[in-house]
Amino acid sequence: MTQLQMIITIAMCVLGTMLTRFLPFIVFPSGKPVPKYVGYLGKALPGAALGLLVIYCFKDVNVLAGAHGLPELISLVVIAALHLWRRNMLLSIGAGTAVYILLVNFVFK
């Protein structure tokens, strides 16, 4: 890559980053009400994204081989229990991930 191409690449990255950061504030200024479909997306998409991640995480689990999906199931129970108990998503996901890693590496080799 030539120096001019590197400068153009960096400039495009900066422009793309700035555009994605500032565009919502330009399109939806603070004095105006947010359109109903944007409010709906703000409420619906987090749950949809989380559901999609759960499906993605469990899509390759084979219950007929190996540990029969026990590490995944145990981790899911830990995540659900912690979330119902503490209502802290970061704690739930972090602890569930740690439990899964420990189970896969030390218990279900």
Side-chain angles (χ1 to χ4, degrees):
M1 221 193 265
T2 67
Q3 190 168 8
L4 178 63
Q5 290 172 330
M6 285 190 282
I7 291 171
I8 291 171
T9 302
I10 291 171
M12 290 294 116
C13 290
V14 168
L15 181 66
T17 301
M18 289 176 59
L19 185 67
T20 57
R21 300 283 189 219
F22 300 142
L23 189 63
F25 296 102
I26 294 168
V27 174
F28 306 114
S30 62
K32 289 179 148 181
V34 177
K36 287 185 179 184
Y37 67 92
V38 174
Y40 168 74
L41 290 176
K43 291 177 184 172
L45 285 181
L50 199 56
L52 200 102
L53 286 173
V54 169
I55 290 170
Y56 178 78
C57 288
F58 287 103
K59 71 177 177 59
D60 290 329
V61 174
N62 187 357
V63 295
L64 301 176
H68 305 291
L70 284 176
E72 292 85 358
L73 183 63
I74 293 168
S75 300
L76 176 68
V77 169
V78 168
I79 291 169
L82 276 174
H83 189 69
L84 290 173
W85 177 47
R86 302 295 295 184
R87 295 282 182 204
N88 185 334
M89 191 179 303
L90 185 61
L91 173 68
S92 305
I93 294 172
T97 302
V99 166
Y100 176 74
I101 296 298
L102 290 171
L103 288 173
V104 169
N105 286 316
F106 298 112
V107 178
F108 298 101
K109 281 189 172 183

